[in-house]
Amino acid sequence: MTVTADRPQMLVTEFEELARHADRSIEGARLEFINGHLGGKAVPDGDHGSIIEWLTRVCMQQRPELWLDSHQGLVVESYREGRARPDGSLVASHAFAGAGEWADPTPVLMVVEVTSYDSDTDRRDRTDKPRAYAGAGIPVYLLIDRDTCEVKVHSRPDGGRYETVQTLPFGKEVALPEPVGITLETEALKNWVR
């Protein structure tokens, strides 16, 4: 680990080694390295999985040439060499073929996060990830926020932020902007919140 004047800073190579070890050794462990912070993603619950399943089906029905990949890690944040594991990355079919554990985000049209019921969700999903995904140039960031029962569509990345954020309550129709071009009927999301 490298030590700076402010605090210890983990190198990205150290993070990747730790993430590989955790993945092999601890069931359900999914580590991320965003904004210089090591973090873990909560083990998804059944409702979280149902939301990803629902979204996968909607995407495949409207855009069958695309795939919502729920496993691929992405390289984000050129400044801090961040690594993120989105709940979903919408890409052309086979876009990650040949990629390693951490893929270049260039082919990603949209990333998806579904909030978990943990103490780190606010900073991770609502603050750090939008900055990281915008900085990586990912056109759309879809946040399905189970705490607020809202869908937040971030678009038009410009450097480290999205210029447009549209917030709609569950139950409203959500039109995802190009290059995604998918419309979500979000009534079903009401079934998967506490």
Side-chain angles (χ1 to χ4, degrees):
M1 195 178 299
T2 304
V3 178
T4 64
D6 299 327
R7 62 186 162 83
Q9 175 67 45
M10 180 179 283
L11 299 173
V12 72
T13 54
E14 294 168 329
F15 164 75
E16 289 178 347
E17 184 178 332
L18 180 63
R20 275 191 297 277
H21 177 72
D23 189 46
R24 287 191 308 265
S25 307
I26 306 166
E27 185 177 340
R30 295 181 67 186
L31 299 180
E32 298 179 307
F33 189 56
I34 299 174
N35 197 23
H37 299 283
L38 174 64
K41 289 189 70 144
V43 176
D45 58 37
D47 290 338
H48 184 283
S50 292
I51 290 170
I52 295 300
E53 178 185 344
W54 165 81
L55 186 59
T56 300
R57 289 178 191 277
V58 171
C59 291
M60 290 182 69
Q61 288 170 351
Q62 294 184 36
R63 299 282 310 270
E65 76 280 12
L66 301 179
W67 175 246
L68 187 67
D69 188 295
S70 62
H71 300 290
Q72 183 65 55
L74 298 177
V75 176
V76 294
E77 296 182 323
S78 58
Y79 168 63
R80 294 189 187 212
E81 300 183 315
R83 302 291 188 264
R85 292 190 183 278
D87 290 326
S89 297
L90 188 67
V91 293
S93 184
H94 306 292
F96 293 134
E101 184 177 0
W102 304 101
D104 182 315
T106 302
V108 178
L109 305 178
M110 176 178 74
V111 286
V112 178
E113 296 290 352
V114 177
T115 59
S116 298
Y117 299 112
D118 64 11
S119 61
D120 200 31
T121 282
D122 187 55
R123 180 184 58 83
R124 186 181 61 242
D125 293 335
R126 297 183 189 107
T127 303
D128 290 346
K129 286 195 174 181
R131 288 181 189 147
Y133 294 149
I138 297 171
V140 177
Y141 169 44
L142 175 65
L143 176 62
I144 298 175
D145 196 324
R146 296 190 292 170
D147 293 325
T148 63
C149 295
E150 295 173 325
V151 174
K152 295 181 177 133
V153 181
H154 300 73
S155 60
R156 298 181 54 218
D158 182 22
R161 67 184 193 93
Y162 285 100
E163 291 184 351
T164 303
V165 179
Q166 180 184 30
T167 303
L168 295 164
F170 288 179
K172 293 283 186 174
E173 181 178 277
V174 176
L176 299 173
E178 293 300 331
V180 178
I182 291 173
T183 301
L184 305 175
E185 300 292 342
T186 65
E187 185 69 29
L189 294 174
K190 294 177 181 179
N191 297 319
W192 302 307
V193 294
R194 291 184 184 168

